[in-house]
Amino acid sequence: MNLTDLVGRPVAAIDTPALVIDLDAMQRNLERMQSFATQHGIRLRPHAKMHKSALLALRQMQAGAVGVCVQKPSEAAAMVAGGVTNVYVSNQVISLPKCELLAQLNRRLTAQNGQVSLAVDSLLGIQRIAQAMATQGAGSCMDVYVEIDVGQARCGVPPGQAALPLVQAIAQHASTSGSLRFAGLQAYHGRAQHLRSAAERRAAIAQVVMDVQRTKALIEAAGFAVPLVTGAGSGTFSHETASGVYGELQAGSYLFMDADYAANEADPQQPQFEHALFIKSQVMSRTARSTPGAADERAVVDAGHKSHAIDSGLPTTWAGHGADWVYSNGGDEHGILRGTALPELGDTVWLVPGHCDPTVNLHSHMLGVRGGLVQGSVEEIIRVDARGALT
Ligand SMILES: Cc1ncc(COP(=O)(O)O)c(C=O)c1O
């Protein structure tokens, strides 16, 4: 069956395994996050590396987001091709061809009052983007953020003095060619998002905020304005917001809420989000019912780790079933369920992926369902525009 033929059909018509969005839950997540940002007077720039869909990025922007983040120039290109006009690459880019792509996209979007912006953490990175901007001729300028490492131990210079030479180098390009502008600091602590207790997350971000404040003060003392600090994810954004230092939130996963995030202790300061991304699977093999409850009793579903990423843990079964089955890895194409009152051969089982970003990247489409996973019907087919956009 053609995918578009599914539109208007009941959920039961969706073949398995399939990536399904509960559109009602997603909409509630979208509104909760946007109203948090609006109420607190902070910009929201959701991370589109999570859903990789220009359509969903546009919906987030229609609701009030200033633009979206991506991690890769090819993701940025997919967003721009889908009509997104404000894209920030919150990551390091060193290769010249990639910088040239960003410079071209930025030129295109500047003409539409939009922009592409970029993070840097090295003089070479600055030199390369400046070189690429030069090939575009005069008239376009790229916003560049200096990334500081606030605990992720990934990209970024150490907080403090090390950021200053980078700010100076950007300022040099700003004054000579006007091709770059120092737009502020990127400060994102990824590991803090998944610290399980709310107190641990709060403490981690308290340290982050001190590092950001110290770096910002140092840059300002050297005579440079720091227009914006951008960062934060779905696990900690209320703390970055409360600091008063951050001006922009980059949370992404809140829109779909995966099983890994659901394992975090809830934080009363943050809005709560619902699972909105599911794998629809079907029981394809079942041990005989003659031995119910026997140690080897199992139901095998047709979704293995080709259907969902397992880097952050295995999927959970959706509690909406009223049953608590434990999913264990059956390999590429299988998942093995154990528990009580297991589903029967042919039954549908809804799985909540452990990690939404790499799960989405395994699929070319997401099926948007309205009216719930049991009674609802397919409303739209959402393309994963940046699927496989790894460069
Ligand atoms: C730089 C950056 N900002 C923001 C996010 C969004 O985090 P989350 O999806 O956990 O909300 C990520 C996710 O990995 C990221 O790498």
Side-chain angles (χ1 to χ4, degrees):
M1 182 196 284
N2 202 323
L3 264 188
T4 50
D5 294 343
L6 276 175
V7 174
R9 310 250 345 249
V11 169
I14 301 173
D15 201 0
T16 57
L19 192 61
V20 172
I21 300 176
D22 178 338
L23 293 172
D24 302 296
M26 183 186 78
Q27 186 62 29
R28 287 190 289 272
N29 289 343
L30 189 151
E31 284 164 10
R32 279 178 198 139
M33 186 69 204
Q34 186 57 56
S35 49
F36 175 91
T38 306
Q39 274 165 24
H40 290 82
I42 192 161
R43 286 164 40 144
L44 177 62
R45 182 184 284 281
H47 222 301
K49 85 191 191 78
M50 195 282 288
H51 53 63
K52 288 177 166 274
S53 152
L55 184 79
L56 296 186
L58 289 171
R59 276 186 202 165
Q60 289 172 310
M61 289 175 69
Q62 275 150 16
V66 293
V68 291
C69 300
V70 295
Q71 293 291 73
K72 299 288 187 161
S74 55
E75 287 180 330
M79 290 297 129
V80 174
V84 181
T85 52
N86 196 320
V87 183
Y88 168 46
V89 181
S90 59
N91 198 9
Q92 306 305 314
V93 179
I94 293 297
S95 99
L96 190 55
K98 290 189 179 86
C99 288
E100 284 169 351
L101 170 63
L102 293 180
Q104 281 161 19
L105 293 172
N106 181 54
R107 183 168 196 85
R108 214 164 110 193
L109 293 191
T110 304
Q112 303 169 42
N113 285 328
Q115 65 170 177
V116 168
S117 45
L118 177 64
V120 295
D121 74 352
S122 68
L123 290 173
L124 183 62
I126 295 168
Q127 185 200 314
R128 289 276 165 84
I129 191 63
Q131 194 179 338
M133 288 296 287
T135 64
Q136 294 298 306
S140 66
C141 173
M142 185 175 289
D143 274 2
V144 176
Y145 295 82
V146 171
E147 178 167 11
I148 57 173
D149 174 12
V150 286
Q152 173 88 349
R154 193 170 63 182
C155 299
V157 294
Q161 196 65 37
L164 199 51
L166 302 183
V167 177
Q168 286 163 335
I170 297 164
Q172 183 68 24
H173 287 288
S175 63
T176 52
S177 64
S179 62
L180 303 183
R181 179 183 88 105
F182 172 59
L185 294 173
Q186 149 98 7
Y188 170 71
H189 189 343
R191 275 185 297 126
Q193 308 308 315
H194 306 279
L195 294 172
R196 290 301 178 218
S197 83
E200 282 175 297
R201 295 196 297 279
R202 188 178 316 114
I205 299 306
Q207 180 60 50
V208 167
V209 167
M210 282 194 287
D211 286 339
V212 172
Q213 276 167 330
R214 182 164 57 90
T215 311
K216 185 168 179 270
L218 220 136
I219 296 168
E220 286 168 346
F224 301 97
V226 180
L228 184 73
V229 178
T230 180
S234 301
T236 66
F237 63 86
S238 64
H239 305 307
E240 281 91 343
T241 302
S243 74
V245 182
Y246 280 75
E248 187 176 270
L249 303 176
Q250 300 177 358
S253 299
Y254 71 90
L255 195 67
F256 285 167
M257 269 308 282
D258 52 35
D260 187 35
Y261 258 124
N264 274 5
E265 179 196 358
D267 188 334
Q269 294 187 34
Q270 296 207 166
Q272 297 306 299
F273 302 107
E274 305 168 47
H275 291 309
L277 186 77
F278 300 87
I279 306 286
K280 185 186 178 203
S281 73
Q282 184 181 44
V283 178
M284 60 189 290
S285 178
R286 178 76 161 88
T287 47
R289 296 212 68 207
S290 56
T291 51
D296 69 342
E297 190 187 1
R298 61 188 183 270
V300 180
V301 294
D302 57 1
H305 57 72
K306 282 184 183 165
S307 307
H308 49 260
I310 57 173
D311 60 297
S312 300
L314 295 170
T316 53
T317 52
W318 182 50
H321 285 291
D324 196 10
W325 305 314
V326 176
Y327 179 104
S328 63
N329 192 356
D332 300 349
E333 292 92 7
H334 303 87
I336 300 167
L337 301 184
R338 291 197 171 83
T340 50
L342 284 171
E344 294 303 334
L345 206 54
D347 282 356
T348 292
V349 175
W350 294 95
L351 304 173
V352 179
H355 189 185
C356 41
D357 312 35
T359 295
V360 169
N361 195 46
L362 294 169
H363 296 259
S364 54
H365 293 89
M366 301 177 273
L367 307 183
V369 163
R370 185 75 68 186
L373 298 181
V374 180
Q375 305 285 344
S377 56
V378 178
E379 184 173 283
E380 58 183 338
I381 312 292
I382 300 171
R383 219 159 62 98
V384 183
D385 301 294
R387 180 185 186 190
L390 305 178
T391 56

